[in-house]
Amino acid sequence: MDTEQRAGGEMGDQDPNPWATPQGPRQPVAPEQATPQPLPPQQGHPQQPGYPPLPPQGYQQQPGYPPQQGHPQQPAYPAQAGYPQPGYGQQPYPQQIPPQYTQPYTQAQQPGYGTPPSAPTAAYDANPYATGASWAPGPQQGWAPPPKPGLIPLRPLSFSDLFGAPFLVLRRNPKATFGSALLLQGLTAVLSLVIVGVVTWLSLSRLSQAAPGEEDAISAGAITAIILSFLIPVAVSIAGSAILQGIIAQEVARGTLGEKLPLGVLWRRTKARFLPLIGYTFLLIGVVTVFIAVAVGLGFVLTGLGGTAGVALTVVMGIGALLVLIAASVWLGTKFSLTPSIIVLENGKVFASLARSWRLTDGYFWRTFGVQFLVSSVVSVASQVVATPISLLASLVPVLFVGVDSEATMIVATIAAQGLSLLVSVIIGAITVVVISATSAVIYVDLRMRKEGLDLDLARFVEARAGGRETVDNPFDVAAAGGKATR
């Protein structure tokens, strides 16, 4: 009994139901014995579970930014009834109802690195300033590389692209490119052997049958005939080079669009432009020939003055004319190097194409010249490395067969060595012409993409063709395409 009274006395100050509404005034209790009240969460710190959240204050999470990876949003806790404590000078907290999220973010829903977020919702599209409860984060527009349907990417080309694309033309469609060059080079070689050989044989036969008093006149005529016979293969070679430039330009253009045309189709597409191409080539050769003829004529005039002064002026003028010829050839050759591509791809006339090539290279002269010079140098060095040993071997064959008794054996060996050397020269020449012609065509496409936005027109053309829509036959033709790839 004493124990119970003692316990009752010690615990008499404690209410058996501390959560009930107090009946009448109460005695203050010590601070350490008071019931702890939940404190509001500090701003900037995560809320502790079990406490109702405060109304949003200050800076809130901006729309469009998903929760940070590694810190998933805590699920909402059900609201608990408040416990008012009147009489203590502390106002009870109002009951807070947290927003209910139907689909709270979890760790699995958060996009990882490299995973594109979900598509924007209709609510976000309608109201970009909506709150986080009415829209989902949308994708951010990222950078996409330009399309590359074929030979080169549809964008202004870098120096490495310009340097590598001509060799890629040869490797990508060798039957059409190397086959065309080999055909033209072989035709030129055969004509050279046949025409020059026949004319030389006839001239020497006539000389051997000449009368004693007519030998000098027949010799002069034979030499003249042999020299003139060389002009025919040279003219055929020039015309063939002009035709090949047009064929390679057509191949570069169609290869840029992802097409690989056979040899016959390339020739049919280009044959209507053969005459303008040949006319352009002979025009340039004619200008150079006239310049050389004028320089030589002035040299004869100065030499005719006689004396040391005339000879000195002739030498100085010859050196000056040679330097001017080299500088003019480099300058005009670079400025007009795009003319074959313009003649073929834009159906341009000769003089109009010359003017357009001049305009396209404005501001890009040194870049154009540098790329052409570097590609030509690489091809020339490689050609000499391959051709020089074979040429030396062919020239040493007669020496190696000096001790052979059979003259027929030596003749056959010499012909075989010369034939091998000629075959190697034709192959190397074909490769060289293809690469150099492709260089000018690639530069033409690059300058049009830089100056005229041709890459956009070509991209539209490729997209329309892939979608089965009607497209123009030649998107490079300004007049036909009207500045657009589709019609």
Side-chain angles (χ1 to χ4, degrees):
M1 183 65 180
D2 295 339
T3 304
E4 294 177 357
Q5 290 178 355
R6 189 181 303 111
E10 292 176 358
M11 300 179 64
D13 295 336
Q14 297 183 3
D15 194 347
N17 187 7
W19 304 110
T21 303
Q23 303 293 332
R26 297 188 56 180
Q27 296 297 327
V29 295
E32 61 275 5
Q33 298 179 357
T35 303
Q37 301 296 327
L39 296 177
Q42 298 296 328
Q43 185 175 358
H45 296 277
Q47 299 178 358
Q48 300 297 327
Y51 291 93
L54 287 176
Q57 297 179 0
Y59 295 95
Q60 304 180 24
Q61 184 177 354
Q62 301 297 329
Y65 294 90
Q68 296 294 329
Q69 185 174 2
H71 301 282
Q73 187 173 349
Q74 301 295 334
Y77 290 90
Q80 299 181 4
Y83 303 101
Q85 300 291 337
Y88 292 91
Q90 183 176 5
Q91 298 297 329
Y93 288 100
Q95 181 177 353
Q96 302 293 333
I97 301 177
Q100 299 296 327
Y101 298 94
T102 57
Q103 294 182 356
Y105 282 99
T106 61
Q107 181 70 22
Q109 291 175 333
Q110 295 181 5
Y113 295 103
T115 304
S118 58
T121 60
Y124 175 70
D125 295 336
N127 182 13
Y129 300 99
T131 59
S134 61
W135 64 280
Q140 297 181 358
Q141 187 67 25
W143 177 84
K148 185 182 179 182
L151 178 65
I152 55 177
L154 301 183
R155 57 165 173 76
L157 304 179
S158 62
F159 185 83
S160 60
D161 294 328
L162 291 173
F163 181 76
F167 299 94
L168 185 60
V169 170
L170 182 64
R171 187 180 65 181
R172 183 176 179 272
N173 195 4
K175 292 182 180 179
T177 56
F178 178 71
S180 299
L182 194 61
L183 179 62
L184 294 173
Q185 293 287 330
L187 180 62
T188 303
V190 170
L191 285 177
S192 300
L193 289 176
V194 172
I195 295 176
V196 175
V198 170
V199 171
T200 303
W201 179 75
L202 291 176
S203 301
L204 294 178
S205 298
R206 186 181 177 185
L207 182 62
S208 62
Q209 299 174 0
E214 299 177 352
E215 293 179 353
D216 294 338
I218 293 177
S219 298
I223 294 174
T224 304
I226 293 173
I227 293 175
L228 291 177
S229 67
F230 276 101
L231 295 180
I232 297 177
V234 169
V236 173
S237 176
I238 293 172
S241 299
I243 293 173
L244 185 61
Q245 289 181 20
I247 293 174
I248 299 303
Q250 188 74 249
E251 165 62 22
V252 170
R254 308 318 295 189
T256 302
L257 301 175
E259 301 177 5
K260 185 184 291 187
L261 303 180
L263 187 146
V265 176
L266 280 178
W267 279 71
R268 286 195 299 270
R269 283 179 171 267
T270 315
K271 66 180 181 179
R273 313 305 300 164
F274 282 173
L275 289 179
L277 287 170
I278 296 174
Y280 152 74
T281 305
F282 278 100
L283 177 64
L284 293 184
I285 294 176
V287 171
V288 174
T289 303
V290 170
F291 179 84
I292 294 176
V294 171
V296 172
L298 290 176
F300 278 114
V301 171
L302 293 176
T303 305
L305 296 177
T308 306
V311 175
L313 287 175
T314 303
V315 173
V316 171
M317 193 203 70
I319 296 175
L322 180 62
L323 295 177
V324 171
L325 179 62
I326 294 174
S329 300
V330 171
W331 183 49
L332 295 178
T334 303
K335 296 293 288 184
F336 294 144
S337 61
L338 310 183
T339 304
S341 300
I342 298 172
I343 290 175
V344 174
L345 300 179
E346 300 183 16
N347 296 320
K349 297 181 179 179
V350 175
F351 290 100
S353 299
L354 289 170
R356 178 157 170 75
S357 176
W358 189 284
R359 292 192 300 269
L360 282 177
T361 52
D362 283 343
Y364 293 93
F365 172 82
W366 290 110
R367 189 171 187 267
T368 302
F369 170 73
V371 173
Q372 292 177 342
F373 177 77
L374 180 60
V375 173
S376 301
S377 301
V378 171
V379 173
S380 299
V381 171
S383 301
Q384 293 299 322
V385 169
V386 176
T388 301
I390 298 177
S391 300
L392 291 176
L393 179 62
S395 62
L396 291 176
V397 166
V399 178
L400 296 176
F401 283 87
V402 168
V404 179
D405 297 335
S406 176
E407 184 178 355
T409 304
M410 186 177 66
I411 294 175
V412 171
T414 304
I415 293 175
Q418 294 296 329
L420 178 62
S421 176
L422 179 62
L423 178 61
V424 172
S425 300
V426 168
I427 294 175
I428 293 176
I431 295 174
T432 302
V433 173
V434 169
V435 173
I436 293 177
S437 301
T439 303
S440 300
V442 172
I443 292 174
Y444 161 78
V445 177
D446 173 61
L447 291 181
R448 284 199 60 184
M449 289 193 293
R450 291 179 179 274
K451 290 191 168 186
E452 301 176 358
L454 180 65
D455 50 340
L456 304 179
D457 294 336
L458 297 182
R460 285 194 293 266
F461 175 87
V462 173
E463 182 180 358
R465 183 184 60 184
R469 298 192 297 273
E470 183 183 5
T471 59
V472 297
D473 181 66
N474 181 17
F476 294 89
D477 189 354
V478 179
K484 297 181 180 179
T486 58
R487 61 182 179 184

